[in-house]
Amino acid sequence: MERDIEAEARERAARRDEAVRAAVEQGLLGPDAAVVGLLDVTGIQQSAAALRAAFDAVVPAGTPVLHAFAVKATPLVPVLRLLGEAGLGAEVASPGELALARAAGVPAERTVLDAPAKTPAELREALTLGIAVNADNPQELDRLDALVLPHSPKGVGGAPMTPLRSPLGIRINPQIGGGSIGATSTATATSKFGVGLRDEGGREWVVRAFLERPWLTRLHAHTGSQGIPMPLLARGVAETYALAEEINARAGRRQIDTLDIGGGLSVDFASEVAAPTYAQYARMLAEEVPGLFDGRYGLVTEFGRSLMARHGTVVARVEYAKSAGGRRIAVTHAGVQVATRTVYAPEAWPLRIAAYDAKGRPRTGPEVVQDVAGPACFSGDLLAEGRTLPALEQGDYAAALDTGAYYFAHHYAYNSLARPGVYGFVPDGAGGVAFAVVREAQTVAEVVAESGGAHTDALTTLRAPGSR
């Protein structure tokens, strides 16, 4: 049964309020720990369960389905382990992300490599491990030919010389247009991802690539993420399905057995309610692309932001409360270093802000227009501008909500600001909150070390050969 999303939102907000209060009481937040990231473990588990249930409701029993979490959304090993135990895999796009997934114990058969700039060494590692690979372009497919069929010219019409454990496919770009945020729209005419189906000869090249390589068994497309409306996502899936049907018809057999439909479900950052839901999206796909769910194709999804965003909160201490030009300004310790997209593109990436008092309780009182500023040394470092909130005072806390994806796990070291600590939390069963360290706070000494501290004299002692 689909959960009541409004009741779920109220429960999530209540857990968050209790976590902020407990973080202050337990000393995770305070004068010496001025900014932290909090992760709602219960909420993460509920999102993973909702995703699986949504597709289970439309996919025939026995159909292979892999929900591969987009590691880029929250690249933290304990999060990947938690999602793995909830039945999810991992979609990785770099050697670092693959290393994180492996450290979390994600099995190779539940891992998908989608990096747009894979080196020969990365491809070789993936094939050695048995990880699924989606080739991005013809040149990458040439590299796979050399690895899969080292003794056959271009691999045309051949069979693998050695057992091939990795499912291999091609990423296509259906070129059906973008959403409201250009940077997260990946199916535009000039997107850097995949093979353009509407480019001259593009579609036929993809078909021939499959017909010449019996070991290609997957087709992948990802229309985009934030700002992409559900109907456009569904259209991208429909285009992928139609191409798979064409390829299989021309091959005279079910060569393509799995469709990787990407992720991309948007998050409404203006509301506590998590909508659209996975159930709504799965039902739309079942209506628009019914053949997708008739049991002939295995499925892979690659959701990220929609799984994690709601369940993370950046909480920062208000160091100073001041005013300028008649505008109140709360100067906090959270800004561009943890909310880079919001600071540089606030229209596309606005965040809700919650106000808490010095004891971590929701602040009450008259609401006033104020800016919530970060610690970086430039004037645009604002989490929120002209926002109506209860007046934040020195020693209070400002919380940036819905920051569990692409925020505190993606540190931007402006002004050499240290990475904040990240803590997961659950109700402790006795009316309190239990915390676990997900990532330690970075120390100033570690900032120095990462900035070449071990090589202080490297440039002053550098001499050209023969010079004195």
Side-chain angles (χ1 to χ4, degrees):
M1 180 183 298
E2 189 174 350
R3 285 175 57 87
D4 181 333
I5 59 176
E6 292 186 355
E8 191 174 73
R10 291 191 296 270
E11 293 168 6
R12 182 170 55 248
R15 288 196 303 270
R16 180 177 63 235
D17 288 348
E18 285 300 305
V20 173
R21 176 193 56 76
V24 174
E25 291 178 352
Q26 297 182 34
L28 302 183
L29 274 166
D32 297 323
V35 57
V36 300
L38 300 178
L39 283 171
D40 179 356
V41 173
T42 302
I44 295 169
Q45 292 170 324
Q46 289 176 348
S47 277
L51 170 58
R52 296 183 65 189
F55 280 81
D56 286 348
V58 295
V59 174
T63 302
V65 178
L66 171 62
H67 298 294
F69 172 67
V71 172
K72 57 184 167 289
T74 312
L76 296 169
V77 171
V79 169
L80 304 184
R81 172 63 68 88
L82 179 67
L83 291 172
E85 291 193 354
L88 275 60
E91 184 264 340
V92 300
S94 74
E97 289 184 357
L98 175 56
L100 295 179
R102 296 187 70 192
V106 180
E109 62 270 19
R110 300 187 67 78
T111 305
V112 180
L113 176 63
D114 281 334
K118 308 177 194 73
T119 66
E122 291 167 34
L123 291 169
R124 188 177 298 108
E125 179 185 25
L127 268 59
T128 300
L129 293 172
I131 289 168
V133 177
N134 291 312
D136 180 81
N137 56 70
Q139 293 175 16
E140 186 175 321
L141 189 56
D142 286 343
R143 288 180 171 179
L144 285 175
D145 283 341
L147 292 169
V148 174
L149 301 165
H151 306 297
S152 298
K154 303 286 286 181
V156 175
M161 301 296 291
T162 57
L164 180 64
R165 292 185 296 144
S166 294
L168 302 178
I170 294 177
R171 178 170 185 168
I172 61 167
N173 173 7
Q175 294 175 306
I176 56 176
S180 61
I181 303 175
T184 54
S185 299
T186 57
T188 60
T190 58
S191 170
K192 73 177 187 179
F193 294 101
V195 179
L197 290 188
R198 297 171 190 253
D199 288 356
E200 184 176 356
R203 189 182 189 94
E204 182 60 21
W205 180 88
V206 173
V207 173
R208 294 304 309 172
F210 275 90
L211 297 181
E212 293 169 355
R213 297 168 177 82
W215 41 269
L216 286 176
T217 60
R218 291 189 172 189
L219 198 60
H220 170 48
H222 175 63
T223 300
S225 52
Q226 189 66 16
I228 305 294
M230 277 209 309
L232 191 61
L233 289 176
R235 185 179 168 197
V237 173
E239 295 270 350
T240 308
Y241 169 80
L243 179 58
E245 291 282 273
E246 177 183 344
I247 292 170
N248 285 346
R250 290 179 62 176
R253 61 189 179 88
R254 193 170 68 98
Q255 176 172 342
I256 295 177
D257 60 22
T258 301
L259 298 181
D260 184 334
I261 63 174
L265 200 64
S266 289
V267 173
D268 180 1
F269 286 101
S271 170
E272 185 75 55
V273 176
T277 67
Y278 291 125
Q280 290 167 342
Y281 182 46
R283 287 195 295 266
M284 172 179 280
L285 289 180
E287 293 170 0
E288 299 293 327
V289 199
L292 185 68
F293 300 116
D294 63 9
R296 291 179 298 125
Y297 292 101
L299 291 176
V300 178
T301 72
E302 300 174 356
F303 295 100
R305 178 181 292 104
S306 56
L307 271 164
M308 288 295 303
R310 296 288 180 190
H311 312 306
T313 306
V314 174
V315 189
R317 189 169 184 267
V318 177
E319 197 64 41
Y320 301 111
K322 55 189 287 187
S323 64
R327 174 77 60 81
R328 288 181 63 94
I329 304 172
V331 182
T332 80
H333 290 270
V336 72
Q337 88 278 29
V338 291
T340 312
R341 283 174 165 173
T342 294
V343 169
Y344 285 134
E347 297 82 9
W349 302 99
L351 288 174
R352 293 181 298 130
I353 305 294
Y356 295 88
D357 67 17
K359 293 185 177 182
R361 302 169 302 192
R363 176 160 277 293
T364 58
E367 294 189 340
V368 299
V369 175
Q370 57 197 302
D371 293 348
V372 181
C377 201
F378 68 98
S379 60
D381 187 28
L382 301 171
L383 283 181
E385 185 174 8
R387 193 69 61 85
T388 301
L389 296 165
L392 286 161
E393 303 290 351
Q394 186 177 36
D396 285 351
Y397 295 93
L401 311 183
D402 305 327
T403 47
Y406 298 102
Y407 281 90
F408 49 71
H410 298 71
H411 189 72
Y412 175 43
Y414 199 101
N415 283 146
S416 297
L417 291 162
R419 290 189 295 271
V422 179
Y423 301 88
F425 67 86
V426 294
D428 66 5
V433 178
F435 292 96
V437 175
V438 174
R439 184 187 68 196
E440 299 279 0
Q442 188 181 31
T443 66
V444 172
E446 289 169 336
V447 173
V448 173
E450 288 190 2
S451 300
H455 309 284
T456 303
D457 296 325
L459 300 181
T460 57
T461 59
L462 184 64
R463 298 288 184 273
S467 66
R468 291 189 295 173

